[in-house]
Amino acid sequence: MPNTYTIRALKPELTGYEMVVASSNNAAVENISRDLPKRKSLGKCWNNVQYLQPVAHKIAAQKSDGSISPLSDEDKPWGLICAALGNSSNRKALQERLFFNPVDTTEPNPPLTIRQWVDDYKGPTFKEACAAFKKADEEVSEALEERARYASLLEEMAATDEPAFLHPQQQSFNQAEQTRASAQQALDRQQQQLQATAQHLSSLQELERLIDRSRPVWWKRLFNTQAAKTHRNEQQENARLQRLAHEEINRAKSLLNNGLKPELESAQTALLFCKSELDARKAQWQGKCQCLDDFASRLGRPNLPGQLSELENSDFQINGLWHDAALNRLRSTVFAAALTLHEAWLAEVAPSGSNGKGFSANLAAISLLLSNKTPEDERLTQVLWQSLFMVIPVVSSTFASFGNQFRGLGAGSLGWLYIDEAGQAVPQAAVGALWRAQRAMVVGDPLQIEPVFTLPQRLVKTLGQLSAHTANDAFAPNRVSVQSLADQNNRYGSVFKNDTDEELWIGSPLRVHRRCIEPMFSLSNQIAYGNKMVFGLPNAHAEQDAPVYSSSCWVDIPGNVEHKQVVPRQIEFMVDLLGQLYLRDGELPQLYVISPFKAVRLALQKAIRAAAWARPNHRPKLPAGELKQWLKASIGTVHTFQGKEQDTVFMLLGADPEHAGAAQWAASKPNLLNVALTRAKRRVYLVGDFDLWGSLRYFDAVSRGKFPLQRMGPAAFLAKLNALEEQA
């Protein structure tokens, strides 16, 4: 790429948020890239949200010849949020639709190139969009902080009650009250003792007067008669007792004034302090209760588990914890504001009249990058990819195309890597993508299709012995997947027991199923998940609808194998059914026909191409290339359809009792049948030998288990189909 443009590097704070979705399964990443931008992916109250919508419309509607095909309201994109890259043809297609083949802008709401959109921009200025985003972001932050305080208060209040909350202060108050009472009792006893001693002294003084009155006459005292001696002794004894009483009174007064009264005053002060502490604690409790009531009035009472086992309840699995409509609305608002901010930024920095300056030069260089022209200065490669992500936040790629697409990018050059259908990816396929990512999220299901690795096991074993790190088959591509390695290193998860009681550690299990209604959900839940899945759709059953007006059932068509697993009678039935639907509706039906076997897929495609109703001169006439495209998109093996979904799915089984080995292989694990059933959102039809397949492991749940499919012959099925069509 000639460096004729002044390419601008983004500020560091704008980098590190690149998002890449990758998988070994091309269908999975294509589904994400195709469905995320569709308007039906948004909630009904957000239908007005747009992000480069005219540009996304052009990318979605433009055909390879440059013409624009009409899109249904549901399929019209709401924004350029995601793009399918990977192989060079996808990158080239994005380049042409994003930058070239401008359309007539005189039509109302026309699809536009990115240049046309920038020139035609009439939205808010960057300053206005920035202010709106900051306001929305602050509201979300405040809402999160409020809920964090609510959660903390709930946790605190749930762990205690009022007596327990008041216990320390109440205990201190009780002890202080007891201390004050003890001090008061000691003071009272001492005062009573002082009063008794004073009364005793008064009695002694009164006795002294009486003794003085009984004093003997003088001559008895002179001659020291016995009466005089007795009187003198009484006086001396009284004086001694009075002296002792005085001493006792002085000691009591000293104890009262210097000991007991200060102790009582101190105890009373301590009691008043403890009472104030207790009153404050009571007020604190009342405040918390009031605050909790205020939170509840504004945010409602959250439904929280009382114990860990309650997390098994469907309600918690479906709704999660701490999710509410108000918070979700605020988060969606800030996301919409961020998209508007991106639009305003792009319109401000990339005007066409900037003469190769500013971000306009980056757009021109992005166009060259998508056409596989790398910059002369390899350091600019990361800048250009970061620039692309500023326009399109999410891109997808298969692992097979990842290295070529992101060549020139080093370790940690991408912000986020999302690995989809990780249970189908061998670890070695994801190494380059993980090396380039700063953070990764691994999503997959170990109970769906496992990695397909065709090298001999002996070779894998021998190569593994070359290193101590791989000698124990820990990374053997024929034994483990990206998903299983991610699960092993996830400390959050649960242990799942399969039907053989083998324990399997599942990291961060997502148990809510939101694709299939009954009976697909219950059948899959029974055969693969030990009934641990939770049904997450509003309705478990749906009204009969096109293209097949019939409930799910098993169309029993036994027959002999003609080639490998191909049973001609089953092929003929499917060709006749598809022909009837095509002739009735004038278009090829929107359904999938999937089989465990490649030979059955090839035989059915060949038979359809040879059918009279599929010939070019038949009426209604099939447009050129439409049948070829339909056969590729709608008929395939279970392995190639993982990651896809359709309202109606036929599973064409094949095989016969004489060649039952293939059927036994398909029934050796629940994975294959599980994937086949869960491709169908509304109806599933098994077409094959009921007695052969219905007796096999896992398939027996479909034939005679808890949720069996009705068994019907082909003629009865077609007759019922015609009758239901007439009613419809």
Side-chain angles (χ1 to χ4, degrees):
M1 180 191 297
N3 190 11
T4 57
Y5 305 101
T6 304
I7 298 173
R8 303 280 182 171
L10 300 179
K11 293 182 178 181
E13 57 267 26
L14 297 179
T15 62
Y17 298 98
E18 306 86 0
M19 291 179 281
V20 182
V21 179
S23 175
S24 291
N25 187 330
N26 190 54
V29 292
E30 284 185 354
N31 270 357
I32 294 172
S33 304
R34 182 179 65 249
D35 290 341
L36 271 180
K38 288 183 179 178
R39 189 160 296 281
K40 66 181 181 180
S41 300
L42 297 178
K44 292 183 179 179
C45 60
W46 298 101
N47 281 338
N48 61 331
V49 173
Q50 294 187 4
Y51 172 66
L52 299 177
Q53 193 277 333
V55 184
H57 188 180
K58 183 175 184 295
I59 292 173
Q62 184 173 313
K63 296 182 179 180
S64 57
D65 60 1
S67 62
I68 301 296
S69 61
L71 300 176
S72 66
D73 290 340
E74 285 192 344
D75 288 339
K76 282 183 180 178
W78 63 268
L80 188 56
I81 196 71
C82 187
L85 296 183
N87 57 48
S88 60
S89 62
N90 283 350
R91 297 198 295 273
K92 186 67 175 177
L94 178 63
Q95 180 204 26
E96 292 177 352
R97 298 173 187 183
L98 187 62
F99 294 99
F100 303 116
N101 300 320
V103 299
D104 184 6
T105 58
T106 60
E107 298 181 4
N109 303 318
L112 305 174
T113 66
I114 187 70
R115 291 292 187 189
Q116 288 178 307
W117 180 90
V118 170
D119 294 340
D120 194 51
Y121 178 76
K122 297 181 179 62
T125 65
F126 178 75
K127 184 177 180 181
E128 293 169 341
C130 189
F133 171 77
K134 287 181 178 179
K135 182 176 182 295
D137 188 49
E138 289 172 358
E139 290 176 350
V140 170
S141 298
E142 291 172 0
L144 290 173
E145 290 174 3
E146 183 179 40
R147 283 157 178 80
R149 295 194 303 271
Y150 190 12
S152 178
L153 182 59
L154 272 175
E155 183 178 7
E156 179 185 358
M157 299 291 274
T160 187
D161 54 17
E162 185 174 9
F165 185 80
L166 301 177
H167 179 71
Q169 288 74 23
Q170 185 69 57
Q171 190 175 37
S172 297
F173 175 79
N174 293 341
Q175 290 176 348
E177 193 171 40
Q178 185 177 4
T179 301
R180 188 207 63 82
S182 298
Q184 184 66 57
Q185 290 173 0
L187 180 66
D188 292 344
R189 286 196 300 270
Q190 191 62 37
Q191 286 178 334
Q192 291 172 0
Q193 182 66 32
L194 177 61
Q195 185 178 6
T197 304
Q199 289 177 351
H200 178 59
L201 177 60
S202 178
S203 299
L204 290 175
Q205 290 172 344
E206 180 64 26
L207 179 61
E208 180 184 7
R209 287 192 296 272
L210 294 176
I211 292 173
D212 286 345
R213 289 181 182 180
S214 63
R215 183 175 59 177
V217 296
W218 65 269
W219 60 268
K220 290 184 178 181
R221 295 195 302 276
L222 178 63
F223 292 102
N224 195 22
T225 63
Q226 183 62 40
K229 291 179 180 180
T230 300
H231 179 265
R232 189 168 51 252
N233 290 338
E234 288 177 352
Q235 283 183 321
Q236 292 175 349
E237 179 63 20
N238 182 269
R240 186 183 69 80
L241 293 175
Q242 284 194 48
R243 186 170 57 254
L244 292 174
H246 277 293
E247 292 175 355
E248 181 65 25
I249 289 172
N250 290 335
R251 284 195 300 271
K253 288 181 178 181
S254 176
L255 182 59
L256 283 172
N257 295 329
N258 300 323
L260 297 180
K261 285 183 178 180
E263 287 181 7
L264 179 59
E265 291 174 358
S266 176
Q268 288 174 334
T269 301
L271 179 62
L272 291 174
F273 175 78
C274 289
K275 186 177 185 302
S276 67
E277 289 284 296
L278 180 60
D279 291 342
R281 188 69 169 174
K282 288 180 178 178
Q284 189 178 2
W285 174 263
Q286 294 300 324
K288 288 180 181 292
C289 292
Q290 183 62 49
C291 185
L292 196 62
D293 291 339
D294 292 342
F295 275 129
S297 65
R298 292 196 309 274
L299 306 177
R301 296 278 182 184
N303 186 20
L304 301 174
Q307 50 190 357
L308 190 61
S309 60
E310 291 183 16
L311 287 175
E312 296 289 324
N313 296 348
S314 298
D315 185 49
F316 293 123
Q317 292 293 324
I318 294 173
N319 298 319
L321 304 176
W322 289 106
H323 288 274
D324 60 83
L327 178 59
N328 288 341
R329 185 169 56 255
L330 289 174
R331 294 170 69 180
S332 297
T333 300
V334 77
F335 177 68
L339 295 176
T340 303
L341 179 60
H342 263 256
E343 284 190 335
W345 171 82
L346 183 61
E348 185 162 314
V349 300
S352 297
S354 56
N355 298 321
K357 297 180 181 179
F359 199 75
S360 180
N362 291 48
L363 287 181
I366 288 171
S367 175
L368 296 175
L369 182 71
L370 291 174
S371 63
N372 299 324
K373 296 179 181 179
T374 57
E376 293 178 358
D377 185 350
E378 291 186 355
R379 293 174 298 179
L380 294 177
T381 302
Q382 183 164 354
V383 174
L384 293 182
W385 276 112
Q386 291 170 344
S387 301
L388 174 62
F389 282 109
M390 284 295 290
V391 179
I392 308 175
V394 183
V395 303
S396 64
S397 173
T398 60
F399 288 132
S401 301
F402 206 98
N404 185 49
Q405 174 170 306
F406 293 110
R407 67 182 183 276
L409 297 188
S413 54
L414 299 173
W416 280 94
L417 171 68
Y418 299 94
I419 300 179
D420 192 28
E421 300 293 349
Q424 202 176 3
V426 296
Q428 291 73 12
V431 170
L434 290 168
W435 174 70
R436 289 179 173 89
Q438 298 175 21
R439 298 169 293 273
M441 178 178 290
V442 178
V443 182
D445 185 348
L447 294 170
Q448 294 198 356
I449 296 298
E450 298 172 304
V452 177
F453 195 77
T454 56
L455 288 181
Q457 292 190 19
R458 284 188 61 188
L459 176 59
V460 174
K461 188 76 173 178
T462 301
L463 293 174
Q465 297 296 326
L466 299 178
S467 170
H469 299 290
T470 58
N472 60 351
D473 290 338
F475 302 97
N478 61 334
R479 297 178 60 88
V480 298
S481 65
V482 174
Q483 180 67 48
S484 62
L485 290 180
D487 284 341
Q488 291 172 22
N489 289 277
N490 193 342
R491 61 176 176 167
Y492 302 107
S494 63
V495 174
F496 168 77
K497 285 188 177 182
N498 59 20
D499 57 343
T500 61
D501 284 336
E502 180 184 359
E503 290 189 349
L504 181 65
W505 173 256
I506 304 294
S508 301
L510 303 177
R511 293 168 48 190
V512 181
H513 184 90
R514 292 186 172 92
R515 174 187 289 160
C516 308
I517 60 172
E518 298 292 6
M520 289 75 70
F521 168 77
S522 292
L523 287 171
S524 174
N525 203 11
Q526 179 182 349
I527 66 173
Y529 301 104
N531 294 313
K532 292 291 186 179
M533 277 202 308
V534 175
F535 187 76
L537 292 174
N539 300 307
H541 303 277
E543 296 180 359
Q544 294 167 342
D545 198 359
V548 181
Y549 295 92
S550 178
S551 301
S552 298
C553 66
W554 189 315
V555 184
D556 182 18
I557 307 179
N560 296 324
V561 162
E562 184 179 80
H563 168 67
K564 291 188 175 180
Q565 303 89 14
V566 178
V567 178
R569 287 189 61 203
Q570 298 173 11
I571 300 294
E572 292 168 5
F573 167 79
M574 286 306 310
V575 173
D576 290 344
L577 173 63
L578 294 171
Q580 287 188 33
L581 297 177
Y582 169 66
L583 296 174
R584 181 196 70 189
D585 300 331
E587 60 182 8
L588 293 168
Q590 296 297 310
L591 54 78
Y592 288 158
V593 183
I594 59 180
S595 174
F597 310 112
K598 182 179 179 180
V600 175
R601 186 260 296 177
L602 294 173
L604 179 60
Q605 290 176 330
K606 180 179 179 181
I608 292 175
R609 283 193 290 266
W613 58 267
R615 293 173 184 169
N617 59 352
H618 199 278
R619 294 292 183 271
K621 185 177 180 180
L622 279 169
E626 183 174 327
L627 179 62
K628 180 179 179 181
Q629 184 178 358
W630 184 87
L631 290 173
K632 180 180 179 181
S634 300
I635 298 178
T637 63
V638 178
H639 288 75
T640 59
F641 272 72
Q642 179 162 321
K644 294 185 178 182
E645 59 184 36
Q646 184 59 271
D647 280 352
T648 303
V649 172
F650 284 83
M651 187 178 186
L652 191 57
L653 296 173
D656 65 10
E658 297 297 324
H659 304 82
Q664 292 169 353
W665 165 82
S668 60
K669 291 184 177 181
N671 302 51
L672 190 142
L673 179 58
N674 179 35
V675 172
L677 291 172
T678 53
R679 297 315 92 199
K681 293 163 46 176
R682 295 167 63 88
R683 295 175 298 279
V684 67
Y685 306 98
L686 270 65
V687 179
D689 189 333
F690 184 91
D691 292 330
L692 168 63
W693 287 89
S695 63
L696 297 176
R697 190 179 186 185
Y698 307 116
F699 285 86
D700 57 1
V702 183
S703 63
R704 57 177 182 273
K706 190 176 181 181
F707 306 96
L709 293 183
Q710 181 184 3
R711 178 182 185 180
M712 299 183 69
F717 177 82
L718 293 175
K720 181 180 179 181
L721 176 63
N722 293 330
L724 290 171
E725 288 174 3
E726 292 176 2
Q727 295 176 12

CSV table of all heavy atoms in Angstrom, one decimal, residues 218-241:
chain,number,residue,atom,x,y,z
A,218,TRP,N,-18.8,12.8,147.4
A,218,TRP,CA,-17.4,13.1,147.3
A,218,TRP,C,-16.5,12.2,148.2
A,218,TRP,O,-15.4,11.8,147.9
A,218,TRP,CB,-17.1,14.6,147.7
A,218,TRP,CG,-17.5,14.9,149.2
A,218,TRP,CD1,-18.6,15.3,149.7
A,218,TRP,CD2,-16.6,14.8,150.2
A,218,TRP,NE1,-18.6,15.4,151.0
A,218,TRP,CE2,-17.3,15.1,151.4
A,218,TRP,CE3,-15.2,14.4,150.4
A,218,TRP,CZ2,-16.7,15.1,152.7
A,218,TRP,CZ3,-14.6,14.4,151.6
A,218,TRP,CH2,-15.4,14.8,152.7
A,219,TRP,N,-17.1,11.9,149.5
A,219,TRP,CA,-16.2,11.1,150.3
A,219,TRP,C,-16.1,9.7,149.8
A,219,TRP,O,-15.0,9.0,150.1
A,219,TRP,CB,-16.8,11.1,151.8
A,219,TRP,CG,-18.2,10.6,151.9
A,219,TRP,CD1,-19.4,11.2,151.8
A,219,TRP,CD2,-18.5,9.2,152.1
A,219,TRP,NE1,-20.4,10.4,152.0
A,219,TRP,CE2,-19.9,9.1,152.2
A,219,TRP,CE3,-17.8,8.0,152.4
A,219,TRP,CZ2,-20.6,7.9,152.4
A,219,TRP,CZ3,-18.5,6.8,152.6
A,219,TRP,CH2,-19.9,6.8,152.6
A,220,LYS,N,-17.0,9.2,149.0
A,220,LYS,CA,-16.9,7.8,148.4
A,220,LYS,C,-15.8,7.8,147.4
A,220,LYS,O,-15.0,6.9,147.2
A,220,LYS,CB,-18.2,7.3,147.8
A,220,LYS,CG,-19.2,7.0,148.8
A,220,LYS,CD,-20.4,6.4,148.2
A,220,LYS,CE,-21.5,6.0,149.2
A,220,LYS,NZ,-22.7,5.4,148.6
A,221,ARG,N,-15.7,9.0,146.7
A,221,ARG,CA,-14.7,9.1,145.7
A,221,ARG,C,-13.3,9.2,146.3
A,221,ARG,O,-12.3,8.7,145.9
A,221,ARG,CB,-14.9,10.3,144.7
A,221,ARG,CG,-16.2,10.1,143.9
A,221,ARG,CD,-16.2,11.1,142.7
A,221,ARG,NE,-16.1,12.5,143.1
A,221,ARG,CZ,-17.2,13.2,143.5
A,221,ARG,NH1,-18.4,12.7,143.5
A,221,ARG,NH2,-17.0,14.5,143.9
A,222,LEU,N,-13.3,10.0,147.6
A,222,LEU,CA,-12.1,10.2,148.3
A,222,LEU,C,-11.6,8.9,148.8
A,222,LEU,O,-10.4,8.6,148.7
A,222,LEU,CB,-12.4,11.2,149.4
A,222,LEU,CG,-11.2,11.5,150.3
A,222,LEU,CD1,-10.0,12.2,149.5
A,222,LEU,CD2,-11.6,12.4,151.5
A,223,PHE,N,-12.4,8.1,149.4
A,223,PHE,CA,-11.9,6.8,149.9
A,223,PHE,C,-12.0,5.7,148.9
A,223,PHE,O,-11.7,4.5,149.3
A,223,PHE,CB,-12.8,6.5,151.2
A,223,PHE,CG,-12.5,7.4,152.3
A,223,PHE,CD1,-13.4,8.4,152.6
A,223,PHE,CD2,-11.4,7.3,153.1
A,223,PHE,CE1,-13.2,9.3,153.7
A,223,PHE,CE2,-11.2,8.2,154.2
A,223,PHE,CZ,-12.1,9.2,154.5
A,224,ASN,N,-12.3,6.1,147.7
A,224,ASN,CA,-12.2,5.1,146.6
A,224,ASN,C,-13.0,3.8,146.9
A,224,ASN,O,-12.5,2.7,146.9
A,224,ASN,CB,-10.8,4.7,146.2
A,224,ASN,CG,-10.7,4.0,144.9
A,224,ASN,OD1,-11.6,4.1,144.0
A,224,ASN,ND2,-9.6,3.3,144.7
A,225,THR,N,-14.2,4.1,147.2
A,225,THR,CA,-15.0,2.9,147.6
A,225,THR,C,-15.4,2.1,146.3
A,225,THR,O,-15.1,2.6,145.2
A,225,THR,CB,-16.3,3.4,148.3
A,225,THR,OG1,-17.0,4.2,147.4
A,225,THR,CG2,-16.0,4.2,149.5
A,226,GLN,N,-16.0,1.1,146.6
A,226,GLN,CA,-16.4,0.2,145.4
A,226,GLN,C,-17.3,0.9,144.5
A,226,GLN,O,-17.3,0.8,143.3
A,226,GLN,CB,-17.1,-1.1,145.9
A,226,GLN,CG,-17.4,-2.1,144.8
A,226,GLN,CD,-16.2,-2.5,144.1
A,226,GLN,OE1,-15.1,-2.8,144.7
A,226,GLN,NE2,-16.3,-2.7,142.7
A,227,ALA,N,-18.2,1.7,145.0
A,227,ALA,CA,-19.2,2.5,144.2
A,227,ALA,C,-18.4,3.5,143.3
A,227,ALA,O,-18.7,3.7,142.1
A,227,ALA,CB,-20.2,3.2,145.1
A,228,ALA,N,-17.4,4.1,144.0
A,228,ALA,CA,-16.6,5.1,143.2
A,228,ALA,C,-15.8,4.3,142.1
A,228,ALA,O,-15.7,4.9,140.9
A,228,ALA,CB,-15.6,5.8,144.1
A,229,LYS,N,-15.3,3.2,142.4
A,229,LYS,CA,-14.6,2.4,141.3
A,229,LYS,C,-15.5,2.0,140.2
A,229,LYS,O,-15.1,2.1,139.0
A,229,LYS,CB,-14.0,1.1,141.9
A,229,LYS,CG,-12.8,1.4,142.9
A,229,LYS,CD,-12.3,0.1,143.5
A,229,LYS,CE,-11.1,0.3,144.5
A,229,LYS,NZ,-10.6,-0.9,145.0
A,230,THR,N,-16.7,1.6,140.5
A,230,THR,CA,-17.7,1.2,139.5
A,230,THR,C,-18.0,2.4,138.6
A,230,THR,O,-18.1,2.3,137.4
A,230,THR,CB,-18.9,0.6,140.1
A,230,THR,OG1,-18.5,-0.6,140.9
A,230,THR,CG2,-19.9,0.2,139.1
A,231,HIS,N,-18.2,3.5,139.2
A,231,HIS,CA,-18.6,4.7,138.5
A,231,HIS,C,-17.5,5.1,137.5
A,231,HIS,O,-17.7,5.5,136.3
A,231,HIS,CB,-19.0,5.8,139.4
A,231,HIS,CG,-19.3,7.1,138.8
A,231,HIS,ND1,-18.4,8.1,138.5
A,231,HIS,CD2,-20.5,7.5,138.2
A,231,HIS,CE1,-19.0,9.1,137.9
A,231,HIS,NE2,-20.3,8.8,137.7
A,232,ARG,N,-16.3,5.1,138.0
A,232,ARG,CA,-15.1,5.5,137.2
A,232,ARG,C,-15.0,4.5,136.0
A,232,ARG,O,-14.7,4.9,134.9
A,232,ARG,CB,-13.9,5.5,138.1
A,232,ARG,CG,-12.7,6.1,137.4
A,232,ARG,CD,-11.5,6.4,138.3
A,232,ARG,NE,-11.1,5.2,139.1
A,232,ARG,CZ,-11.4,5.1,140.4
A,232,ARG,NH1,-12.0,6.1,141.1
A,232,ARG,NH2,-11.0,4.0,141.1
A,233,ASN,N,-15.1,3.2,136.3
A,233,ASN,CA,-15.0,2.2,135.2
A,233,ASN,C,-16.1,2.5,134.1
A,233,ASN,O,-15.8,2.4,132.9
A,233,ASN,CB,-15.1,0.8,135.8
A,233,ASN,CG,-13.9,0.4,136.6
A,233,ASN,OD1,-12.8,1.0,136.4
A,233,ASN,ND2,-14.1,-0.5,137.5
A,234,GLU,N,-17.3,2.8,134.5
A,234,GLU,CA,-18.4,3.1,133.6
A,234,GLU,C,-18.1,4.3,132.7
A,234,GLU,O,-18.3,4.3,131.5
A,234,GLU,CB,-19.7,3.3,134.3
A,234,GLU,CG,-20.3,2.0,134.9
A,234,GLU,CD,-21.6,2.3,135.7
A,234,GLU,OE1,-21.9,3.4,135.9
A,234,GLU,OE2,-22.2,1.3,136.0
A,235,GLN,N,-17.5,5.3,133.4
A,235,GLN,CA,-17.1,6.5,132.6
A,235,GLN,C,-16.0,6.2,131.6
A,235,GLN,O,-16.1,6.6,130.4
A,235,GLN,CB,-16.6,7.6,133.6
A,235,GLN,CG,-17.7,8.3,134.3
A,235,GLN,CD,-17.1,9.4,135.2
A,235,GLN,OE1,-16.0,9.3,135.8
A,235,GLN,NE2,-17.8,10.6,135.3
A,236,GLN,N,-15.0,5.4,132.0
A,236,GLN,CA,-13.9,5.1,131.1
A,236,GLN,C,-14.4,4.2,129.9
A,236,GLN,O,-14.0,4.4,128.8
A,236,GLN,CB,-12.8,4.4,131.9
A,236,GLN,CG,-12.1,5.2,132.9
A,236,GLN,CD,-11.1,4.4,133.7
A,236,GLN,OE1,-11.1,3.2,133.7
A,236,GLN,NE2,-10.3,5.2,134.5
A,237,GLU,N,-15.3,3.3,130.3
A,237,GLU,CA,-15.8,2.4,129.2
A,237,GLU,C,-16.7,3.2,128.2
A,237,GLU,O,-16.6,3.0,127.0
A,237,GLU,CB,-16.7,1.3,129.8
A,237,GLU,CG,-17.3,0.3,128.8
A,237,GLU,CD,-16.2,-0.4,127.9
A,237,GLU,OE1,-15.0,-0.5,128.4
A,237,GLU,OE2,-16.6,-0.9,126.8
A,238,ASN,N,-17.4,4.2,128.7
A,238,ASN,CA,-18.3,5.0,127.8
A,238,ASN,C,-17.4,5.9,126.9
A,238,ASN,O,-17.7,6.0,125.7
A,238,ASN,CB,-19.2,5.9,128.7
A,238,ASN,CG,-20.1,6.7,127.9
A,238,ASN,OD1,-19.8,7.8,127.5
A,238,ASN,ND2,-21.3,6.1,127.5
A,239,ALA,N,-16.4,6.4,127.6
A,239,ALA,CA,-15.4,7.3,126.8
A,239,ALA,C,-14.8,6.4,125.7
A,239,ALA,O,-14.6,6.9,124.5
A,239,ALA,CB,-14.4,7.9,127.7
A,240,ARG,N,-14.4,5.2,126.0
A,240,ARG,CA,-13.7,4.4,125.0
A,240,ARG,C,-14.7,4.1,123.9
A,240,ARG,O,-14.3,4.1,122.7
A,240,ARG,CB,-13.3,3.1,125.7
A,240,ARG,CG,-12.5,2.2,124.8
A,240,ARG,CD,-12.1,0.9,125.5
A,240,ARG,NE,-13.3,0.1,125.7
A,240,ARG,CZ,-13.9,-0.7,124.8
A,240,ARG,NH1,-13.3,-0.8,123.6
A,240,ARG,NH2,-15.0,-1.4,125.1
A,241,LEU,N,-15.9,3.7,124.2
A,241,LEU,CA,-16.9,3.4,123.2
A,241,LEU,C,-17.2,4.6,122.3
A,241,LEU,O,-17.4,4.5,121.1
A,241,LEU,CB,-18.2,2.9,123.8
A,241,LEU,CG,-18.0,1.5,124.4
A,241,LEU,CD1,-19.3,1.1,125.1
A,241,LEU,CD2,-17.6,0.4,123.4
